[in-house]
Amino acid sequence: MKKQASMKTTSNQFHQPIAFHPGETLREKLFELDMTLKEFALRAGKPEKTVIAVLNGDSSITHEMAVQFEHVLKIPAHVWTSIQCDYDEYLAREERKEQLKASARWGKKFPVAEMVKKGWLPVAATAHEKTEALCAFFGMSGHSAWEDYYLNQELKVAFRISLSHAKEPHAISAWLRRGELQAVELPTHPYDESGFKRALERIRCLMVQHPADVLQQLQKICLEVGVKVVYTPCIKKAPLNGCSRWLKDNPLIQLSGRYKRNDVFWFTFFHEAGHILLHGKKDIFLEDYDYSEVDRKKEDEADRFAVRWTLTIEGDQELKHRGSMTEREIVALAKRINTHPAIIVGRLQHDRKVRPTFGHRLLETIEFK
């Protein structure tokens, strides 16, 4: 009797390269017993055409058939079902290989080398391995599933924005997915909206002080009220500052530290916090996206929310009526309205009241690991 290929997985996820249909085992056993097809069919209580289909590999052995074969051939039913299961899995994996070949062109659209460098993907030598790694990263079977999720909005309850109009949907989806995977690793606490509103005062103090472990403290404060904050470095084709969305019952704020400036970092955080508190669970908000007029208004509302928390209404009004400022004046104003001087520098640069290189000594560098 031929030795059947085992398809059981080990810790290394090893799979045998081939498996045999149980019809081959049946053929060899009948030859060994010198039993005709007609006699076996009679003993097993099965039509001859059914047995022929099994022998030719055109039909599967069911559990009911396996029990009947057991009594005739003295081979336990679980052996027959195991052989059939291994063969079915083998066919499925062969079909999977063809699916991956069809997804190879899709895989080339991702910044795979950069994702590998950042540790998001394992090192892969072949196009097949790269595509397989991407599918595992996204938790998708292939490019069609990715397109249905990220482009066609087939699962709107989980992802309520289509990336079909984004400039680089593949890179953006990779950045977003990395944030989701990071969020899963954080402990889950029930979301407390009132608690989050109160926590913003503590977070604002953190912004002003900007200690060395600012990210860890920010995450801790937010987790206490059920808000997950993750830092996901930018990838070249997805130059985003941040994103806010809901993962089931918890809001997620994903920050990139783009530009490596604390003024941008904090404005982005409070902007995304504004989306969470003002706009509920329905949407996901991304930068540089072609929003509808309604969503554009939501972006403006989030901007005003961020200005209120980073600069204060008083500081915002004062800067609107002032021209350029010296660094000493900036430090004095920051102390008076209790904000970080970098916030004022950023606002003056944004309004083009000072040079882009002005005030760099007042900025804190954002470089998280």
Side-chain angles (χ1 to χ4, degrees), residues 63-285:
H63 287 278
E64 180 260 342
M65 291 167 63
V67 171
Q68 291 174 308
F69 287 11
E70 175 183 82
H71 290 289
V72 179
L73 304 175
K74 309 307 179 186
I75 296 177
H78 70 82
V79 173
W80 290 111
T81 55
S82 177
I83 296 171
Q84 184 66 60
C85 182
D86 287 352
Y87 181 72
D88 291 343
E89 184 177 341
Y90 165 75
L91 291 182
R93 293 192 181 281
E94 289 299 299
E95 183 178 350
R96 171 70 175 155
K97 289 179 182 178
E98 295 303 314
Q99 291 175 348
L100 288 176
K101 287 180 181 179
S103 297
R105 184 177 296 179
W106 164 78
K108 292 179 180 179
K109 296 180 181 179
F110 290 91
V112 172
E114 190 175 3
M115 293 171 71
V116 170
K117 185 177 180 180
K118 291 183 182 299
W120 300 4
L121 293 177
V123 177
T126 66
H128 175 94
E129 291 174 347
K130 292 176 182 178
T131 307
E132 184 75 81
L134 280 168
C135 290
F137 174 78
F138 283 105
M140 303 283 183
S141 62
H143 71 282
S144 296
W146 178 91
E147 289 170 359
D148 285 342
Y149 188 84
Y150 287 101
L151 303 184
N152 302 330
Q153 290 186 291
E154 292 293 331
L155 192 62
K156 293 183 180 181
V157 293
F159 197 77
R160 292 183 60 89
I161 190 172
S162 169
L163 297 182
S164 58
H165 299 298
K167 294 178 181 178
E168 295 288 348
H170 298 81
I172 291 174
S173 69
W175 186 81
L176 291 171
R177 176 60 175 169
R178 176 58 182 168
E180 292 174 5
L181 295 174
Q182 290 174 286
V184 169
E185 297 176 359
L186 296 176
T188 301
H189 301 284
Y191 173 57
D192 179 358
E193 181 175 333
S194 297
F196 186 40
K197 291 177 180 178
R198 293 192 299 270
L200 292 182
E201 289 289 353
R202 294 171 59 194
I203 294 170
R204 189 166 189 276
C205 291
L206 193 64
M207 175 192 73
V208 176
Q209 298 165 2
H210 200 83
D213 62 343
V214 62
L215 178 63
Q216 289 76 16
Q217 288 196 44
L218 176 61
Q219 285 180 318
K220 183 176 182 296
I221 293 171
C222 290
L223 279 176
E224 289 173 357
V225 293
V227 178
K228 296 188 175 186
V229 176
V230 298
Y231 164 69
T232 310
C234 272
I235 50 180
K236 292 178 182 178
K237 293 186 178 182
L240 303 172
N241 286 333
C243 174
S244 59
R245 60 199 186 277
W246 287 72
L247 299 181
K248 295 185 179 180
D249 295 324
N250 289 93
L252 166 64
I253 295 177
Q254 186 175 355
L255 304 169
S256 72
R258 187 185 176 203
Y259 300 119
K260 300 183 178 180
R261 294 172 45 148
N262 64 318
D263 62 316
V264 178
F265 176 85
W266 285 112
F267 189 90
T268 302
F269 170 80
F270 282 106
H271 175 97
E272 304 305 342
H275 279 311
I276 291 169
L277 291 170
L278 300 173
H279 304 136
K281 297 183 177 182
K282 293 183 178 181
D283 302 299
I284 174 172
F285 292 94

Side-chain angles (χ1 to χ4, degrees), residues 8-71:
K8 293 181 180 180
T9 60
T10 67
S11 58
N12 293 323
Q13 293 294 301
F14 172 76
H15 305 286
Q16 291 284 12
I18 193 169
F20 301 100
H21 189 278
E24 295 198 31
T25 303
L26 176 59
R27 188 183 300 279
E28 292 179 357
K29 188 62 179 178
L30 293 180
F31 178 80
E32 177 186 322
L33 296 175
D34 195 22
M35 186 180 295
T36 66
L37 182 153
K38 188 177 185 66
E39 179 184 354
F40 173 72
L42 180 64
R43 289 177 178 273
K46 287 293 177 185
E48 288 186 40
K49 63 178 183 179
T50 299
V51 177
I52 292 173
V54 171
L55 288 171
N56 292 336
D58 297 328
S59 181
S60 300
I61 290 182
T62 65
H63 287 278
E64 180 260 342
M65 291 167 63
V67 171
Q68 291 174 308
F69 287 11
E70 175 183 82
H71 290 289

